[in-house]
């Protein structure tokens, strides 16, 4: 890898930018060689993902891995981010080690409980599967414990267009559910 990697910490009390909390750590990666920059930055991103996933294995938080892969990949520029994706799909290794496109859908909650079982209806799963995609509902109430993020739906597939379609299906089902429920984002 032909890159410079910098790690910056926000020390002290939480800091805010645009009324949103700022992440406690920033990792910056700069390529040294223009000719191999895209490849080098892609390798650096994958190395950082593997390092953090190793940490998640140690602290036994497998449920957050997919979100980690997605969030890191979506924060980096490159060919792994299709510019026309409507779901912010990215190409990255998924938690099982397969190279897929993936996206994350937030789940609504009410009184601290996340709602998602309605997503597992057969007709929804058939539609998602017809796009060659899969979903995984991650959350403490869904058998996939999380320590570092809120409950969510991880959508994976071989093509970003399919992931976009599957995310739209999940979002439609969530909107319909929220029309009958008092849950919110």
């Amino acid at each position: 890898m032909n890159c410079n990697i910098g790690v910056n910490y926000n020390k002290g009390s939480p800091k805010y930018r645009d009324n949103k909390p700022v992440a406690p750590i920033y990792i910056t990666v700069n390529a040294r060689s223009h000719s191999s920059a895209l490849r080098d930055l892609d390798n650096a991103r994958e190395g950082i993902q593997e390092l953090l996933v190793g940490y998640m294995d140690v602290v036994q938080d497998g449920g957050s891995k997919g979100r980690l892969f997605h969030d890191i990949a979506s924060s980096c520029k490159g060919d792994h981010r299709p510019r026309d994706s409507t779901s912010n799909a990215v190409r990255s290794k998924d938690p099982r080690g397969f190279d897929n496109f993936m996206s994350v859908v937030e789940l609504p909650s009410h009184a601290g409980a996340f709602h998602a079982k309605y997503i597992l209806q057969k007709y929804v799963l058939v539609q998602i599967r017809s796009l060659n995609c899969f979903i995984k509902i991650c959350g403490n109430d869904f058998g996939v414990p999380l320590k570092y993020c809120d409950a969510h739906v991880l959508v994976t597939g071989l093509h970003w267009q399919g992931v976009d379609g599957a995310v739209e299906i999940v979002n439609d089902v969530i909107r319909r559910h929220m029309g009958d429920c008092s849950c919110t984002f």
Side-chain angles (χ1 to χ4, degrees):
M1 204 176 347
N2 194 13
C3 296
N4 293 321
I5 298 177
V7 179
N8 300 306
Y9 300 93
N10 284 328
K11 297 179 182 176
S13 61
K15 295 180 177 34
Y16 293 85
R17 182 178 300 130
D18 299 326
N19 292 325
K20 295 180 183 175
V22 174
I25 185 173
Y26 288 96
I27 300 172
T28 57
V29 180
N30 296 304
R32 291 184 201 148
S33 169
H34 182 72
S35 63
S36 62
L38 287 177
R39 183 181 67 245
D40 292 340
L41 292 172
D42 207 36
N43 289 338
R45 175 183 54 83
E46 289 177 357
I48 291 167
Q49 285 173 320
E50 288 176 23
L51 175 73
L52 293 172
V53 164
Y55 171 76
M56 294 180 117
D57 286 341
V58 170
V59 297
Q60 299 177 345
D61 186 17
S64 298
K65 284 182 183 180
R67 176 97 190 218
L68 173 74
F69 278 113
H70 176 268
D71 288 355
I72 290 174
S74 66
S75 71
C76 303
K77 294 179 182 176
D79 293 339
H80 63 282
R81 292 178 59 186
R83 111 182 83 207
D84 294 332
S85 174
T86 57
S87 70
N88 196 27
V90 295
R91 183 184 43 79
S92 183
K93 287 184 181 174
D94 66 20
R96 300 170 297 156
F98 297 111
D99 196 31
N100 275 318
F101 283 91
M102 64 175 62
S103 192
V104 172
V105 178
E106 303 294 336
L107 289 173
S109 65
H110 178 71
F114 288 93
H115 295 188
K117 292 183 181 175
Y118 54 89
I119 296 171
L120 297 176
Q121 297 175 68
K122 185 176 181 178
Y123 83 93
V124 174
L125 298 176
V126 167
Q127 287 179 320
I128 290 169
R129 185 66 187 115
S130 73
L131 298 170
N132 292 313
C133 292
F134 298 92
I135 62 170
K136 181 177 185 179
I137 298 177
C138 302
N140 297 333
D141 297 335
F142 309 108
V144 183
L146 303 170
K147 292 183 182 177
Y148 296 111
C149 60
D150 285 336
H152 59 277
V153 180
L154 180 67
V155 181
T156 59
L158 296 176
H159 306 284
W160 64 266
Q161 297 92 336
V163 170
D164 282 357
V167 166
E168 187 57 36
I169 290 166
V170 171
N171 281 330
D172 284 345
V173 172
I174 289 173
R175 277 191 289 275
R176 283 197 303 271
H177 170 79
M178 290 177 72
D180 299 330
C181 181
S182 59
C183 61
T184 59
F185 287 108

